[in-house]
């Protein structure tokens, strides 16, 4: 069975600080996909990134970066120089490969960036 | 480009009343479609998913049902709402396969 754990329920940082959101996953498959989504106060989830199990390269997109480590089953998300607009709930998710597969979401981390 | 619509945006319904939430997707064909519920301050609970017209899979036994009468239309229904049905309902779509999902704006349902 697949499982996603986001141990940090809520995080508060002061604007311009860096912050890392942790995500630990469990799966028995060798082929799987990891995702991050952002849910701002408006409620609509926004897709941020997908990473497949064969690609351990870290990715950077502007102030966002993702660190994928299969050895520790982690897919952590770092926001550099945080801004108030980054305040949201962030969800990590996992889908096992092959045909239709249910996506398992973590419970989310609420990030509050204080001006 | 693809867009996903959900309506209504908010809804207040009395206990025992029926429910119909609609979701439509534009700009893509044969998508996977999903209904999720999010209770206040909680994570996402997958309710139903569909890989094609008339093909509905239920993840959680409850008094809700879903239908997919057309390729890009997904409907969530209930004959009699319960207080516990209150929540934020999100519709999503993805291409066939284990890929990212794109979410609609959601419907906030309050059952009184």
């Amino acid at each position: 069975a697949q499982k996603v754990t986001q141990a940090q329920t809520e995080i508060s940082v002061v604007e311009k600080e860096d912050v890392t959101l942790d995500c630990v996953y469990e799966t028995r498959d060798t082929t799987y996909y990891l995702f991050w989504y952002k849910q701002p106060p408006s409620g609509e989830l926004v897709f941020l990134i997908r990473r497949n199990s064969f690609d351990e390269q870290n990715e950077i997109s502007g102030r966002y970066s993702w660190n994928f480590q299969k050895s520790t089953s982690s897919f952590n998300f770092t926001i550099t120089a945080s801004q108030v607009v980054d305040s949201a709930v962030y969800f990590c998710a996992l889908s096992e490969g092959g045909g239709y597969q249910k996506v398992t979401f973590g419970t989310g981390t609420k990030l509050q960036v204080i001006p | 480009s693809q867009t996903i619509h959900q309506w209504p945006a908010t809804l207040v319904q009395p206990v025992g009343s029926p429910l119909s939430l609609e979701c439509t997707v534009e700009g893509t064909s044969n998508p996977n479609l999903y209904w999720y519920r999010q209770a206040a301050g909680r994570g996402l609970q997958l309710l139903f998913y569909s890989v094609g017209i008339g093909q509905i899979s239920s993840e959680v036994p409850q008094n809700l049902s879903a239908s997919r009468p057309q390729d890009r239309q997904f409907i969530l229904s209930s004959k009699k709402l319960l207080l516990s049905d209150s929540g934020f309902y999100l519709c999503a779509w993805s291409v066939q396969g284990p890929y990212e999902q794109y979410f609609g704006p959601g419907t906030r349902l309050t059952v009184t």
Side-chain angles (χ1 to χ4, degrees):
Chain A
Q2 54 190 40
K3 184 179 179 181
V4 176
T5 301
Q6 294 181 257
Q8 303 153 309
T9 305
E10 292 192 34
I11 301 176
S12 290
V13 298
V14 176
E15 198 171 22
K16 297 184 183 178
E17 287 184 347
D18 299 346
V19 58
T20 295
L21 310 182
D22 298 332
C23 174
V24 174
Y25 62 92
E26 294 178 28
T27 177
R28 294 180 180 177
D29 274 18
T30 56
T31 301
Y32 53 90
Y33 299 81
L34 295 162
F35 310 85
W36 275 96
Y37 292 85
K38 175 182 179 180
Q39 186 177 36
S42 62
E44 181 175 340
L45 269 82
V46 177
F47 164 71
L48 296 177
I49 189 172
R50 168 168 57 98
R51 177 65 72 214
N52 72 54
S53 53
F54 298 109
D55 183 3
E56 283 194 77
Q57 282 191 340
N58 293 329
E59 178 144 347
I60 298 174
S61 176
R63 297 183 297 106
Y64 294 173
S65 62
W66 291 269
N67 184 292
F68 176 29
Q69 291 193 337
K70 291 177 73 171
S71 61
T72 56
S73 296
S74 64
F75 186 43
N76 296 337
F77 174 28
T78 297
I79 302 175
T80 303
S82 59
Q83 300 177 2
V84 172
V85 293
D86 296 327
S87 297
V89 180
Y90 291 86
F91 290 94
C92 182
L94 165 69
S95 176
E96 293 169 343
Y100 167 76
Q101 294 294 340
K102 170 185 166 183
V103 176
T104 298
F105 283 84
T107 51
T109 296
K110 184 176 181 179
L111 174 64
Q112 183 178 14
V113 181
I114 304 166
Chain B
S1 64
Q2 301 86 10
T3 56
I4 178 169
H5 304 278
Q6 269 188 260
W7 62 92
T10 60
L11 191 59
V12 180
Q13 293 282 96
V15 168
S17 63
L19 173 73
S20 181
L21 302 181
E22 188 164 344
C23 171
T24 59
V25 181
E26 295 177 356
T28 187
S29 296
N30 196 29
N32 287 342
L33 296 172
Y34 312 84
W35 277 112
Y36 289 89
R37 177 169 61 200
Q38 186 178 32
R42 304 286 297 277
L44 293 166
Q45 179 187 34
L46 178 63
L47 301 176
F48 300 95
Y49 67 88
S50 171
V51 299
I53 296 174
Q55 300 179 61
I56 310 293
S57 296
S58 173
E59 287 291 310
V60 182
Q62 58 217 329
N63 69 320
L64 299 172
S65 62
S67 62
R68 184 171 177 174
Q70 299 180 41
D71 181 45
R72 289 168 290 177
Q73 184 185 28
F74 205 23
I75 298 171
L76 182 68
S77 304
S78 174
K79 293 182 179 179
K80 290 186 177 182
L81 283 169
L82 307 173
L83 285 175
S84 57
D85 291 324
S86 293
F88 188 50
Y89 288 81
L90 287 155
C91 181
W93 75 273
S94 72
V95 298
Q96 296 284 339
Y99 301 115
E100 58 271 19
Q101 297 178 18
Y102 296 94
F103 287 79
T107 295
R108 295 195 183 276
L109 171 66
T110 303
V111 182
T112 60

